[in-house]
Amino acid sequence: MLAVFKRELKAYFASPTGYIFMGFFLLICGIFFAFSNLLTARPDYISVLSSITFVFLIVVPVLTMRLMSEESRQKTDQLLLTSPLSVTGIVLGKYFAAVAVFLLTLLITCLYPVILSFFGTIAVWEIVGGYIGFFLLGAAFISIGLFISSLTDNQVIAAVVTFSALLFIWILDWVIQGLPTDRISGIVFACALAVGVAALVYFSTRNIFVSVAIAVVGFGIIAGIYFSNEYFFDGFIVKVFEWFSLLKRYEKFMMGILSLSPIVYYITFSAVFLFLTVRVIEKRRWS
């Protein structure tokens, strides 16, 4: 894993990718810092971090589009996959390299609150909590980009799909407001989820019996929940989509609340997408 990490980190700065990512990120952060804090003489730096989350929509596709797709396009993935390295080590090495570039850029922006501290008192621990949330949010977005990069050998397609996925997450809270909340819709959605999980297992294992068994068990669980608590499915769609809302959990950090729950959520969210990336590459390795 360490060898892949060093190779990818070196590749970022041997090409324009790392410099474009850092330059654009620092430019946007600097503009918001100047207009939100310097020109208005406000010490509220946490609002800067809250305002620039949109930058992930642009910089994460740039950072992740080549991670796996470039290997597929140049056929160097065959060398990696036949090497003694484990697929998990390869994926983690690439992921941590991208996260390291992001973290390095984020550390540079720490100069901004330091500058503010020369002119007055700042909420140090609130800013530290905001940085932790901002880092975890970015790391979760990077895991999505890495997963999408593993699905194609075209960097442009990887970047466009990653941007679309992040945009959907970005507007998810608005989408939730228009979702149906009635019981029937909730039950139908739960059944669709059971079918989706069964389909995912089938495409991963090609075992129809296991997939059908999972679907039947899922329908049984839904029926059991309905007869034990029929109100469970009221607003079920909204609850599920709210669970996937990365930005909603980020709000706690912006309010200065450092809670364990969103930290565990972000780490788990990233781990799930890393696991899916490993599964995609494992499947390609043995196909």
Side-chain angles (χ1 to χ4, degrees):
M1 185 188 82
L2 189 59
V4 176
F5 173 79
K6 290 179 179 177
R7 173 176 171 268
E8 289 300 322
L9 197 59
K10 186 178 179 182
Y12 273 122
F13 295 104
S15 67
T17 305
Y19 300 104
I20 292 173
F21 172 84
M22 296 182 72
F24 187 78
F25 191 100
L26 293 174
L27 174 65
I28 296 297
C29 191
I31 291 174
F32 275 79
F33 172 66
F35 281 95
S36 299
N37 297 121
L38 292 184
L39 298 181
T40 58
R42 289 178 56 205
D44 182 22
Y45 180 73
I46 202 77
S47 62
V48 174
L49 294 178
S50 178
S51 301
I52 64 170
T53 50
F54 75 90
V55 78
F56 286 128
L57 298 179
I58 303 168
V59 297
V60 168
V62 172
L63 192 66
T64 60
M65 64 182 184
R66 53 164 291 280
L67 279 175
M68 299 305 304
S69 59
E70 181 72 0
E71 302 281 3
S72 300
R73 190 181 67 83
Q74 295 184 344
K75 307 301 181 186
T76 52
D77 58 333
Q78 301 302 321
L79 295 175
L80 275 177
L81 297 179
T82 54
S83 69
L85 296 170
S86 67
V87 173
T88 303
I90 294 170
V91 171
L92 289 180
K94 288 177 174 291
Y95 174 70
F96 286 133
V99 170
V101 175
F102 169 54
L103 180 60
L104 178 61
T105 311
L106 205 56
L107 289 175
I108 295 174
T109 66
C110 291
L111 289 173
Y112 298 145
V114 172
I115 293 172
L116 277 182
S117 67
F118 292 140
F119 300 98
T121 303
I122 60 174
V124 176
W125 292 111
E126 184 178 310
I127 293 173
V128 171
Y131 265 112
I132 292 173
F134 197 82
F135 170 72
L136 292 172
L137 180 65
F141 283 152
I142 290 172
S143 70
I144 297 173
L146 175 62
F147 169 69
I148 293 172
S149 178
S150 71
L151 300 175
T152 177
D153 60 357
N154 189 312
Q155 292 188 37
V156 176
I157 293 176
V160 171
V161 175
T162 301
F163 173 80
S164 303
L166 299 187
L167 180 62
F168 176 74
I169 292 174
W170 181 262
I171 63 173
L172 185 59
D173 291 338
W174 297 337
V175 173
I176 287 174
Q177 298 176 13
L179 292 176
T181 58
D182 61 283
R183 192 172 305 162
I184 299 298
S185 300
I187 294 172
V188 171
F189 182 70
C191 292
L193 283 180
V195 172
V197 171
L200 183 64
V201 171
Y202 175 74
F203 286 117
S204 300
T205 64
R206 296 293 178 185
N207 190 323
I208 187 66
F209 298 106
V210 174
S211 303
V212 171
I214 289 175
V216 171
V217 170
F219 292 146
I221 292 174
I222 293 169
I225 293 175
Y226 175 77
F227 288 114
S228 62
N229 181 12
E230 60 180 315
Y231 301 105
F232 180 84
F233 293 102
D234 292 352
F236 181 71
I237 302 177
V238 173
K239 294 174 188 172
V240 171
F241 276 87
E242 282 183 343
W243 192 84
F244 283 103
S245 176
L246 290 172
L247 295 177
K248 185 172 284 298
R249 285 169 173 78
Y250 181 60
E251 291 174 357
K252 287 189 175 181
F253 293 101
M254 292 302 97
M255 290 186 293
I257 302 172
L258 189 58
S259 172
L260 183 62
S261 172
I263 294 175
V264 172
Y265 175 83
Y266 281 130
I267 294 173
T268 305
F269 187 94
S270 301
V272 168
F273 273 93
L274 292 178
F275 171 76
L276 291 175
T277 306
V278 171
R279 293 301 306 157
V280 168
I281 297 174
E282 284 278 11
K283 186 178 177 183
R284 187 184 304 158
R285 186 180 204 175
W286 300 110
S287 61

